Amino acid sequence: MAALGGDGLRLLSVSRPERQSESTALGGPGSGLCCWVSVFSCLSLACSYVGSLYVWKSELPRDHPAVIKRRFTSVLVVSSLSPFCVLLWRELTGIQPGTSLLTLMGFRLEGIFPAALLPLLLTMILFLGPLMQLSMDCTCDLADGLKVVLAPRFWARCLTDMRWLRNQVIAPLTEELVFRACMLPMLAPCTGLGPAVFTCPLFFGVAHFHHIIEQLRFSQSSVGSIFLSAAFQFSYTAVFGAYTAFLFIRTGHLIGPVLCHSFCNYMGFPAVCAALEHPQRRPLLAGYALGVGLFLLLLQPLTDPKLYGSLPLCVLLERAGDSEALLCS
């Protein structure tokens, strides 16, 4: 057990005391080493994930089924190996979380049903305006839409669509596993939970810069517009990454961030410009505003840790200060 006074971080459980004495706890002279190991581990995971997409040489665009299938293979291999990076980090730093690795990474049964439903509901509330817009522009009525969605043929078609599988299943699952479930446990003991929410998404945002390579190869746009688009994508993926990191910490589950990620991939970035020019602009913009307002109002109640049981990352460490109290209680 290594403890720090004042505003420092206190590790609940530290293994190998001969390797991790009080002087090398996170607030002591050796704290820099732990942080460097954490940052290097996260950077290695991000590079491995993105690099796995380019181990296959191909002149085909990223949306070609053959390219998608090959990338499925490589990214699933990297993602399945990513927990071993957390194990290696644990050995190098000597930090013992006091719980199993799978629990720390959000694979647990306690509170799983609210963890699956409430974050998704919260995200759908945020997208109230885009959902209204989708409903207004849809030519079919609600009953017909439900019949289509509930039909086995619809899901059979989805499961054989490589782009659908990538956007709704593989990408949400592997990205949340690598960039949230593996990175947050390594960053939190170094930065604290609050800063980790905003540090972790930087790796996630930078990882999306690889799209520049393919856009330069296949796009007809100018170089300036491609880089401007990449900067915009980095911005909103970083914001989204902070949101799912917040969900992961507050619920202690991986399933919520995965489902929210899949939903957001389906919805895409809100078409605000189209809403401003929509024939039913006023009710639509009211829906946008109402969705954002309700989201902010319900963010804390629907992610209340009491709904989900004990939080593994909060059990891993404690930090004095308001930001940590808000995240863990």
Side-chain angles (χ1 to χ4, degrees), residues 89-222:
W89 164 83
R90 188 183 67 180
E91 290 301 313
L92 291 175
T93 60
I95 297 174
Q96 290 291 339
T99 186
S100 70
L101 181 65
L102 289 177
T103 299
L104 189 65
M105 293 172 58
F107 294 95
R108 62 197 187 101
L109 294 177
E110 182 187 17
I112 189 170
F113 292 111
L117 297 176
L118 295 182
L120 181 58
L121 174 62
L122 182 65
T123 308
M124 293 177 72
I125 290 172
L126 176 62
F127 277 78
L128 179 61
L131 286 172
M132 289 177 57
Q133 191 170 350
L134 188 64
S135 175
M136 290 175 179
D137 296 338
C138 184
T139 56
C140 60
D141 58 24
L142 180 60
D144 292 336
L146 287 175
K147 288 180 181 179
V148 172
V149 171
L150 296 176
R153 186 180 300 177
F154 169 80
W155 290 104
R157 188 165 58 249
C158 289
L159 293 174
T160 55
D161 184 343
M162 291 297 104
R163 292 183 62 182
W164 187 91
L165 283 174
R166 179 192 63 192
N167 296 337
Q168 312 312 138
V169 181
I170 302 298
L173 179 60
T174 58
E175 289 180 3
E176 294 305 316
L177 173 63
V178 171
F179 291 93
R180 247 66 70 185
C182 289
M183 289 190 183
L184 280 171
M186 294 191 291
L187 285 174
C190 172
T191 64
L193 292 179
V197 168
F198 299 100
T199 305
C200 187
L202 298 180
F203 295 98
F204 182 61
V206 170
H208 284 75
F209 271 123
H210 73 91
H211 292 308
I212 294 177
I213 299 173
E214 294 176 341
Q215 289 177 3
L216 290 174
R217 287 175 59 193
F218 299 106
S219 178
Q220 301 298 319
S221 303
S222 65

Side-chain angles (χ1 to χ4, degrees), residues 230-257:
F232 176 71
Q233 187 180 37
F234 168 79
S235 300
Y236 76 75
T237 51
V239 171
F240 173 78
Y243 172 57
T244 54
F246 176 83
L247 291 177
F248 181 82
I249 293 173
R250 292 276 289 179
T251 67
H253 283 271
L254 182 62
I255 188 171

